[in-house]
Amino acid sequence: MHGKDRTLIASLGFSDPDKGELHDRACLFCTTESFAAAIPIDSAGEGEFFIREHTAQLEHPIKGGYGIVGFADVLVTFDLTSVLPCPECKSYRDIGERKKFKVLIEVKTRVEPVGNWVRQINLYRAKMPVDLAILACVQVIPDTHQAYLRQADIIPITFKGMRKDAKLNRKLPTCECQQLREAKRLADLARRIGSSINVDNTLSEDDVPF
């Protein structure tokens, strides 16, 4: 979040000083599919979910009773569909449940006191409910910071070592067992109907077209 004088977070005395070209480039990377592929969506609910689409917004305004609370660096929204493993094959069945999964991402270019990070994200979450919060840092996040963040239900991610060519898994194998069973049933029914009809293929003179 770029420093803004009139935000609630600034008036509380822990405005985010992290800004500049490096911060902007890091935020922009968080909007890519490569970063989205590293976001754990296993907390989306029971069962497994298939990613149909995802969108990302930069500098998303968070509003409260006092006006603008602050600006989330990145807000990612996943459009998910619920799937279940098919017991007959290794594919998945779409059970028709759709949901939005919102992820708040706060970006830092350097390591700071971890309490500042947690207070900022907690304030944002109090005003804008999300399904997941991530603290992404350009520098390597110390183990003690990571433990503190996880205790606060915030996922720590370090940019170093991330793949720039990672892709979201949008193409899970789709189960066709039900369609195959229905096709077989219709084929069997057609054969039974055909075998029960005595077809006379003898042509009369009136049937001959010449």
Side-chain angles (χ1 to χ4, degrees):
M1 182 202 77
H2 289 249
K4 301 217 172 29
D5 293 337
R6 297 180 181 178
T7 60
L8 174 60
I9 193 171
S11 68
L12 293 176
F14 56 100
S15 177
D16 183 4
D18 206 341
K19 57 184 178 180
E21 183 181 353
L22 178 59
H23 181 265
D24 291 342
R25 286 192 285 114
C27 289
L28 190 60
F29 179 72
C30 289
T31 68
T32 65
E33 185 168 318
S34 297
F35 189 88
I39 297 176
I41 62 169
D42 52 357
S43 57
E46 294 184 1
E48 298 185 52
F49 289 87
F50 167 71
I51 300 172
R52 300 177 70 239
E53 194 55 72
H54 94 284
T55 57
Q57 296 174 274
L58 289 166
E59 298 292 347
H60 181 79
I62 301 173
K63 299 178 181 179
Y66 298 92
I68 300 295
V69 174
F71 292 82
D73 286 329
V74 187
L75 180 66
V76 174
T77 302
F78 289 97
D79 184 10
L80 304 177
T81 181
S82 182
V83 295
L84 288 176
C86 174
E88 302 176 31
C89 64
K90 296 182 180 180
S91 301
Y92 291 84
R93 291 179 181 176
D94 184 349
I95 62 176
E97 179 186 346
R98 303 286 189 270
K99 74 171 299 181
K100 299 291 185 182
F101 188 75
K102 293 188 176 182
V103 182
L104 167 67
I105 305 172
E106 187 60 31
V107 177
K108 304 297 178 183
T109 60
R110 59 188 181 275
V111 174
E112 304 167 4
V114 67
N116 292 346
W117 294 349
V118 172
R119 284 190 291 273
Q120 181 182 359
I121 292 176
N122 281 345
L123 176 61
Y124 288 173
R125 289 192 294 194
K127 301 299 181 180
M128 182 184 70
V130 292
D131 299 290
L132 188 69
I134 291 176
L135 190 291
C137 189
V138 175
Q139 294 181 343
V140 176
I141 303 175
D143 292 342
T144 53
H145 280 51
Q146 292 193 36
Y148 197 106
L149 289 166
R150 293 187 185 279
Q151 182 65 29
D153 198 23
I154 301 169
I155 303 297
I157 291 182
T158 299
F159 289 106
K160 185 177 181 179
M162 293 187 69
R163 291 180 53 189
K164 296 182 179 180
D165 58 347
K167 299 295 182 182
L168 285 172
N169 183 13
R170 289 196 181 96
K171 296 182 179 180
L172 289 176
T174 303
C175 171
E176 298 180 354
C177 294
Q178 291 179 331
Q179 293 93 321
L180 293 174
R181 282 196 298 272
E182 180 64 13
K184 184 177 183 301
R185 186 187 69 81
L186 293 175
D188 291 341
L189 179 61
R191 281 195 296 270
R192 289 197 299 271
I193 293 175
S195 62
S196 65
I197 300 176
N198 184 16
V199 179
D200 184 2
N201 291 323
T202 304
L203 294 176
S204 67
E205 291 184 357
D206 293 336
D207 294 325
V208 179
F210 50 83

